[in-house]
Amino acid sequence: MGPVLCSLRSARKGRFQQDPRGRWLKAAILLLLSAAAGGGLVVWSRLRAEGGIPEGGTPGDAGTEVLAHRSDNLRDKFVEIPCSEDYDRHKRFEGCTPRKCGRGVTDAVITREEAERIRRIAERGLSLGGSDGGASILDLHSGALSLGKHFVNLYRYFGDKIQDIFTEEDFALYRDVRQRIQQRIAQVFGISSSAMYLTKPTFFSRMNSTGAKTTHDEYWHPHVDKVTYGSFDYTSLLYLSDYSEDFGGGRFVFMDADSNKTVEPRAGRVSFFTSGSENLHRVEKVQWGTRFAITISFTCDPEHGIGDPVLG
């Protein structure tokens, strides 16, 4: 999927198995894209044991509710739910660590036109590589790009030529979109935006119906962000394509003990939630077409913060 980069020597140098700067990303992808997500599966097993979920079933087998239809134009929709104990197992940061937990959806932060511009950034970057399986990632912060069954460092491979692929305007739009999402999350959860820090992994994803070649491609398993990555406090997704128009399947599913709550992607839609076990979730397998999104993650711990990507 996607053309193979032509210089094998440079690709070998850029592989993340050999790139110390990218070691964290290899593990991160196992969380959010491959998501065999040990922590999430532990929670899933616990829910089965405690809640009577049938063997072979999933949380939410009792029914499904659509939290946000693609055809909806939502100013703001928020559902508050009790916080899990996950946050008590980590250092708390007053004025940021969740005391109010839940999940929200808004179509009023990013416009469809902005989402289309952001999607073109993702398409240009991902056209340079792509996974052999159904899930590819592009991380502008670290330079990580899926290539076959591995990852290369985009910036290391292309060097100064990266400015022929991306522009300063691309990165300015990316930063602006990230900031607006951060501000909306802070507003909804009643915290200070300045107390939140962007954290890794934050990346573009492209998913299609190609069969998985490695565990990196298995994005559909249930998982909990904070159980596996203790730094996560708030997670968001910005959708860059439309469910049922650009792709089938691929809905985002919150997996509750009583029923599933699904979000149907729509270009410009932002889904956001506290990262603990109160929001066990997965993504349905994409059945046809191509699904684009950005995962943007935030932490309350400044030691785990990362900066915005810069060109050059």
Side-chain angles (χ1 to χ4, degrees):
M1 180 169 62
V4 175
L5 303 182
C6 56
S7 172
L8 294 176
R9 183 177 64 181
S10 296
R12 283 195 297 269
K13 288 181 180 179
R15 282 183 183 172
F16 270 72
Q17 297 95 307
Q18 301 170 355
D19 182 358
R21 291 200 314 155
R23 285 174 185 165
W24 67 264
L25 186 71
K26 186 178 179 183
I29 293 162
L30 287 170
L31 164 67
L32 288 180
L33 274 184
S34 64
L41 295 177
V42 167
V43 174
W44 193 18
S45 299
R46 191 172 70 231
L47 284 171
R48 275 194 178 138
E50 296 174 355
I53 295 167
E55 187 63 32
T58 62
D61 277 349
T64 298
E65 173 189 340
V66 178
L67 187 63
H69 292 272
R70 182 184 69 85
S71 57
D72 295 338
N73 189 355
L74 300 171
R75 174 86 192 158
D76 284 295
K77 184 169 187 177
F78 181 74
V79 178
E80 185 171 354
I81 51 181
C83 293
S84 66
E85 297 178 356
D86 295 340
Y87 308 98
D88 297 331
R89 302 186 181 104
H90 300 272
K91 183 178 179 180
R92 299 188 70 93
F93 294 85
E94 196 61 37
C96 182
T97 298
R99 294 191 179 278
K100 169 185 176 181
C101 292
R103 55 192 67 148
V105 182
T106 179
D107 298 315
V109 174
I110 310 301
T111 68
R112 176 171 287 271
E113 188 270 337
E114 288 169 331
E116 289 171 352
R117 288 170 58 197
I118 287 279
R119 174 173 167 167
R120 287 194 289 272
I121 298 171
E123 288 173 332
R124 289 200 303 274
L126 287 163
S127 71
L128 302 170
S131 166
D132 287 344
S136 299
I137 70 101
L138 167 65
D139 185 323
L140 291 180
H141 300 265
S142 69
L145 173 69
S146 298
L147 179 64
K149 294 181 175 63
H150 305 286
F151 304 94
V152 295
N153 187 316
L154 187 69
Y155 302 129
R156 176 173 295 183
Y157 180 83
F158 285 98
D160 293 341
K161 293 181 180 179
I162 199 70
Q163 298 190 33
D164 296 330
I165 302 165
F166 304 118
T167 67
E168 291 287 359
E169 290 76 15
D170 292 336
F171 279 58
L173 175 62
Y174 184 94
R175 289 191 298 270
D176 180 50
V177 164
R178 188 275 303 166
Q179 288 166 357
R180 278 186 273 156
I181 292 172
Q182 182 170 343
Q183 289 164 0
R184 180 54 60 93
I185 292 173
Q187 178 185 23
V188 169
F189 286 100
I191 62 177
S192 170
S193 177
S194 63
M196 298 168 62
Y197 302 89
L198 190 67
T199 195
K200 56 193 179 187
T202 285
F203 57 91
F204 289 102
S205 60
R206 181 183 69 191
M207 299 175 183
N208 62 31
S209 59
T210 304
K213 305 300 182 185
T214 72
T215 55
H216 301 302
D217 301 313
E218 296 180 16
Y219 55 81
W220 52 81
H221 298 296
H223 61 280
V224 172
D225 295 346
K226 193 169 184 66
V227 169
T228 307
Y229 269 77
S231 59
F232 277 39
D233 290 298
Y234 302 92
T235 307
S236 69
L237 295 108
L238 168 60
Y239 296 111
L240 307 176
S241 50
D242 293 314
Y243 168 73
S244 81
E245 185 172 320
D246 297 314
F247 61 91
R251 297 183 301 173
F252 188 94
V253 184
F254 291 107
M255 306 182 73
D256 297 337
D258 56 345
S259 68
N260 288 341
K261 312 293 193 303
T262 63
V263 175
E264 298 178 351
R266 162 188 168 124
R269 170 166 289 170
V270 178
S271 174
F272 58 93
F273 50 94
T274 46
S275 304
S277 299
E278 67 276 1
N279 282 313
L280 175 68
H281 59 275
R282 67 181 181 91
V283 174
E284 295 174 333
K285 289 185 181 181
V286 172
Q287 301 299 321
W288 57 267
T290 306
R291 177 192 192 269
F292 285 89
I294 312 176
T295 297
I296 304 176
S297 310
F298 298 98
T299 182
C300 296
D301 187 346
E303 291 187 5
H304 290 279
I306 60 173
D308 286 308
V310 267
L311 186 62

